[in-house]
């Protein structure tokens, strides 16, 4: 038994044995075996070997025949925390659950200083009555709310995010939600609260530096190295606005030459409170991209884009958002298509209740979007993403469709490699034509991972990725299946996983030549 903490070939100690027996008694008492008797003996069979014998007589397990409340029984809701059927087997876990429900009930009804005192009385050798004495303490009416230690953040920002109001009774759920909303602003390293003079709710914060520099790198063998650098400023105008400048490039190595295949320059601006509305966000981007034809010396087939994109996001709840966007884009496929101006409007909705964005173990993420383009190209573009996380299992399904005539090459879907199907070169999956990188009008992409977490710093991941693509929707399910699989390793630094994946595909024949290696920060999805 692990609770004994005694192992074979371990140095014998009477003190360790006595502690093990004491822990064993505590284990049985916590499960309601109050009449348990435990006898132990040890015998030296050789000069350096000891045989330990432990005999246990459990006795009868105690049953709770009734639960009684005493003291400040001021909430009728206490009746709802009673178990539906009595008697019930005694256990500390069950008692702790009852007490946690009582604390939660009182905390959310204005009693933050409630105290509990438990007692039991036996009716016979197996039946007992459990009694809980409640000292509610003073009921706290919040008369005012104050902010402490804020230097550069306006008080108005706090009051937009704080959900509890003056002249309301103390409510743990509302105060906890307020703390989480404040922390999500990314303006504070910590958010705490306390009650002063039995009437003043004080939120104490520690502000983070408003200017920040972030770098990121991803590596794929063979050929590719992705580097990015981002310079940002939080709270740039004092009302939680955020501005960023980002540079990124994808480098490849071919014929003893280093090529800059993809490059991107982006200016981001975000308004947390657009039009001074609490749950209305504005996101705007000015973007220059040049990408495509990875590993080729010529610019033929590369896509060059200048775009201005703005999106208004409406937050309906903690997890559900919808957004309306508008984009003006100038796009050209060098040597293949002439420059086009594309005006588009988009609508998307997304729900996200993941418990951790970088390393989720519970929850799901659903995103649906539709885009309609006008100007020198007319088409409708749909996108659907569903991700599900259940402890060690992670699943993602992505789908995309484009309907229209004369669809620009730059608007098609590109798959393969990091982010879609591991085990293939970047942008190598799709319909091939005119010596361009493969692309398609319709696709389904699936990713499955089993994440085997050994401890707080290391995990092994087994993964399988697949995709099907077609330029005709009705032929999608009859198209070729692309699949990749492999094993990955995760090394956790400050709770952030560093990802190292090894992938291959069914056509991989020569090892290690046909292996694909991926390195990045955070999980792929």
């Amino acid at each position: 038994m692990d609770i004994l903490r005694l192992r074979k070939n371990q140095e014998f100690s009477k003190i360790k044995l006595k502690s093990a027996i004491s822990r064993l008694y505590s284990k049985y008492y916590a499960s309601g075996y109050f009449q348990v008797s435990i006898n132990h003996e040890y015998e030296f069979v050789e000069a350096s070997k000891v045989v330990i014998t432990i005999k246990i007589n459990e006795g009868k397990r105690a049953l709770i025949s009734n639960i009684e409340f005493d003291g400040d029984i001021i909430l009728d809701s206490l009746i709802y925390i009673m178990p539906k059927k009595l008697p019930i087997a005694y256990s500390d876990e069950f008692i702790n659950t009852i007490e946690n429900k009582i604390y939660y009930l009182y905390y959310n009804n204005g009693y933050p200083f409630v105290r509990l005192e438990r007692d039991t009385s036996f009716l016979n050798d197996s039946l007992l009555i459990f009694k809980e004495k409640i000292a509610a303490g003073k009921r706290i009416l919040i008369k005012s709310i104050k902010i402490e230690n804020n230097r550069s953040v306006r008080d108005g920002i706090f009051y937009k995010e704080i959900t509890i109001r003056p002249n309301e009774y103390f409510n743990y759920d509302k105060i906890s939600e307020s703390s989480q909303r404040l922390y999500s602003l990314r303006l504070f390293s910590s958010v705490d609260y306390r009650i002063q003079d039995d009437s003043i709710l004080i939120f104490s914060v520690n502000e983070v530096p408003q200017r920040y520099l972030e770098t990121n790198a991803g590596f794929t063998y063979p050929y590719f190295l992705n580097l990015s650098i981002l310079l940002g400023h939080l709270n740039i105008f004092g009302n939680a606005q955020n501005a960023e400048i980002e540079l990124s490039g994808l480098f490849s190595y071919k014929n003893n030459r280093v090529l800059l295949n993809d490059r991107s320059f982006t200016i981001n601006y975000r308004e947390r409170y657009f039009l001074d509305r609490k749950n209305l966000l504005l996101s705007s981007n000015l973007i220059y991209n040049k990408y495509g034809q990875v590993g080729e010396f010529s610019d033929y087939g590369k896509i060059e884009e200048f775009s201005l994109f703005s999106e208004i996001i409406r937050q309906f709840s903690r997890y559900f958002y919808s957004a309306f966007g508008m984009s003006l884009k100038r796009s050209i496929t060098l040597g293949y298509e002439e420059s086009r101006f594309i005006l588009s409007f988009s609508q998307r909705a997304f729900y996200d209740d993941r418990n951790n964005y970088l390393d989720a173990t519970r929850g799901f993420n659903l995103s649906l979007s539709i885009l309609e383009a006008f100007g020198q190209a007319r088409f409708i573009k749909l996108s659907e993403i569903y991700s599900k996380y259940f402890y060690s299992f992670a699943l993602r399904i992505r789908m995309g469709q484009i309907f229209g005539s004369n669809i620009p090459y730059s608007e098609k879907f590109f798959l393969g490699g990091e982010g879609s199907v591991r085990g293939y070169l970047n942008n190598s999956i799709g319909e091939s034509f005119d010596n361009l990188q493969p692309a398609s009008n319709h696709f389904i992409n699936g990713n499955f991972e089993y994440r085997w977490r050994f401890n707080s710093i290391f995990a092994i991941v087994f993964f399988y990725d697949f995709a099907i693509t077609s330029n005709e929707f009705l032929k999608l399910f009859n198209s070729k299946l692309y699949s990749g699989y492999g094993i990955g390793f995760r090394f956790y630094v400050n709770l952030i996983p560093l990802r190292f994946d090894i992938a291959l595909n069914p056509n991989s024949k020569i090892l290690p030549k046909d292996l694909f290696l991926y390195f990045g920060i955070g999980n792929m999805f």
Side-chain angles (χ1 to χ4, degrees):
M1 296 176 65
D2 291 339
I3 193 171
L4 294 176
R5 301 177 191 170
L6 299 176
R7 300 288 184 270
K8 290 183 179 180
N9 301 319
Q10 176 183 332
E11 182 180 355
F12 175 73
S13 167
K14 292 182 180 180
I15 296 177
K16 289 182 179 179
L17 178 58
K18 185 176 180 180
S19 297
I21 299 301
S22 177
R23 286 192 296 271
L24 198 55
Y25 267 112
S26 297
K27 177 68 174 179
Y28 274 93
Y29 289 159
S31 299
Y33 294 95
F34 299 112
Q35 300 176 30
V36 65
S37 63
I38 302 174
N39 297 311
H40 70 280
E41 56 185 35
Y42 58 90
E43 179 184 0
F44 287 92
V45 295
E46 294 181 16
S48 59
K49 292 186 178 181
V50 177
V51 175
I52 301 173
T53 303
I54 300 175
K55 297 180 180 180
I56 303 172
N57 182 6
E58 294 180 342
K60 292 182 178 180
R61 187 176 188 182
L63 301 175
I64 300 174
S65 63
N66 195 19
I67 298 176
E68 298 178 356
F69 300 108
D70 193 12
D72 299 326
I73 309 174
I74 53 182
L75 298 175
D76 295 335
S77 304
L78 281 173
I79 192 174
Y80 295 110
I81 69 174
M82 294 281 288
K84 294 181 179 180
K85 292 184 179 181
L86 289 172
I88 190 171
Y90 178 96
S91 72
D92 280 357
E93 182 180 359
F94 170 74
I95 298 301
N96 290 335
T97 300
I98 292 291
E99 291 184 338
N100 287 336
K101 289 180 179 179
I102 296 173
Y103 277 120
Y104 186 77
L105 190 61
Y106 276 75
Y107 286 166
N108 280 334
N109 284 274
Y111 298 95
F113 306 118
V114 62
R115 295 292 179 266
L116 303 179
E117 182 180 341
R118 69 171 69 168
D119 189 20
T120 54
S121 59
F122 282 86
L123 298 176
N124 53 44
D125 61 350
S126 62
L127 289 177
L128 61 83
I129 296 176
F130 173 71
K131 297 180 180 179
E132 196 74 77
K133 186 175 182 180
I134 303 172
K138 184 177 180 180
R139 193 177 193 188
I140 301 301
L141 179 68
I142 305 297
K143 295 181 179 179
S144 64
I145 300 174
K146 294 184 178 180
I147 313 301
E148 189 175 77
N149 297 330
N150 62 309
R151 299 184 303 274
S152 58
V153 181
R154 298 176 186 174
D155 287 350
I157 292 177
F158 290 89
Y159 297 120
K160 284 185 174 71
E161 301 298 335
I162 295 172
T163 58
I164 194 168
R165 295 288 180 260
N167 296 320
E168 290 184 10
Y169 284 107
F170 180 97
N171 185 292
Y172 174 79
D173 278 352
K174 288 187 176 182
I175 294 174
S176 178
E177 181 186 359
S178 301
S179 298
Q180 292 174 5
R181 290 177 67 97
L182 289 171
Y183 188 77
S184 70
L185 294 174
R186 298 174 57 206
L187 299 174
F188 313 108
S189 59
S190 65
V191 179
D192 301 303
Y193 73 88
R194 70 178 188 274
I195 301 296
Q196 181 175 294
D197 299 332
D198 291 340
S199 62
I200 304 172
L201 174 60
I202 298 178
F203 285 93
S204 179
V205 300
N206 287 318
E207 295 186 3
V208 300
Q210 295 190 357
R211 296 180 181 87
Y212 56 93
L213 177 67
E214 297 178 0
T215 58
N216 198 358
F219 174 73
T220 301
Y221 173 84
Y223 306 134
F224 309 118
L225 175 64
N226 196 327
L227 299 175
S228 67
I229 183 170
L230 183 147
L231 177 65
H233 194 299
L234 296 169
N235 198 34
I236 189 168
F237 299 124
N239 200 36
Q241 297 96 338
N242 176 213
E244 295 175 338
I245 297 175
E246 182 177 11
L247 292 169
S248 65
L250 176 67
F251 298 85
S252 66
Y253 184 77
K254 187 175 182 180
N255 296 337
N256 297 319
R257 288 180 59 181
V258 176
L259 304 177
L260 176 58
N261 295 279
D262 297 356
R263 67 211 71 178
S264 175
F265 173 76
T266 307
I267 299 176
N268 301 314
Y269 177 77
R270 302 180 186 92
E271 280 270 3
R272 176 80 179 195
Y273 309 107
F274 184 55
L275 301 179
D276 207 34
R277 297 288 299 276
K278 176 181 177 181
N279 294 316
L280 202 62
L281 295 79
L282 171 68
S283 177
S284 297
N285 314 94
L286 181 63
I287 305 171
Y288 167 74
N289 283 326
K290 188 176 181 180
Y291 60 94
Q293 298 295 80
V294 175
E296 297 296 330
F297 297 101
S298 169
D299 272 352
Y300 173 79
K302 289 188 181 295
I303 298 168
E304 191 171 46
E305 294 179 338
F306 295 89
S307 64
L308 175 62
F309 174 73
S310 289
E311 187 175 53
I312 297 175
I313 304 170
R314 175 76 165 90
Q315 180 180 3
F316 290 94
S317 70
R318 182 178 175 184
Y319 306 117
F320 179 64
Y321 300 76
S322 72
F324 174 79
M326 182 179 70
S327 172
L328 180 61
K329 178 190 299 185
R330 174 189 173 274
S331 176
I332 182 174
T333 303
L334 299 174
Y336 179 73
E337 289 180 334
E338 295 183 352
S339 175
R340 301 193 196 189
F341 283 94
I342 304 172
L343 174 66
S344 63
F345 297 92
S346 61
Q347 181 77 44
R348 65 188 179 105
F350 48 103
Y351 181 93
D352 190 349
D353 67 354
R354 290 174 294 173
N355 63 332
N356 186 317
Y357 295 126
L358 288 176
D359 189 35
T361 56
R362 293 188 305 278
F364 75 92
N365 176 30
L366 176 65
S367 175
L368 305 172
S369 68
I370 179 170
L371 178 148
E372 186 168 5
F374 303 90
Q376 294 177 325
R378 298 183 64 88
F379 57 88
I380 294 177
K381 191 173 188 178
L382 307 174
S383 177
E384 306 87 23
I385 302 174
Y386 174 75
S387 303
K388 175 64 178 176
Y389 304 88
F390 184 72
Y391 296 100
S392 297
F393 296 93
L395 168 72
R396 183 181 70 173
I397 299 294
R398 296 192 308 146
M399 297 184 291
Q401 307 86 32
I402 305 179
F403 300 96
S405 59
N406 194 22
I407 299 170
Y409 172 71
S410 60
E411 296 297 329
K412 292 177 178 285
F413 297 106
F414 299 88
L415 283 85
E418 172 73 4
S420 58
V421 184
R422 287 161 286 192
Y424 292 84
L425 291 174
N426 281 21
N427 302 339
S428 63
I429 294 177
E431 304 285 329
S432 299
F433 54 93
D434 294 334
N435 294 320
L436 297 172
Q437 280 193 145
S440 57
N441 294 343
H442 310 281
F443 80 92
I444 298 176
N445 171 213
N447 311 99
F448 175 80
E449 293 188 351
Y450 176 73
R451 301 168 180 174
W452 187 4
R453 185 83 177 258
F454 281 86
N455 50 44
S456 61
I457 61 173
F458 179 69
I460 291 180
V461 174
F462 301 95
F463 60 86
Y464 175 79
D465 304 332
F466 75 89
I468 54 176
T469 68
S470 176
N471 280 332
E472 297 182 41
F473 182 75
L474 295 179
K475 295 182 178 181
L476 179 61
F477 291 96
N478 295 323
S479 59
K480 178 182 177 181
L481 174 68
Y482 297 86
S483 61
Y485 44 85
I487 186 172
F489 305 94
R490 304 292 182 266
F491 302 92
Y492 290 82
V493 179
N494 294 328
L495 303 179
I496 299 175
L498 301 180
R499 174 167 49 89
F500 179 74
D501 290 338
I502 304 172
L504 43 80
N505 64 62
N507 297 320
S508 300
K509 297 179 180 179
I510 303 175
L511 300 180
K513 181 176 178 292
D514 290 341
L515 286 177
F516 289 81
L517 307 181
Y518 303 90
F519 173 79
I521 299 175
N523 286 308
M524 192 178 81
F525 64 96

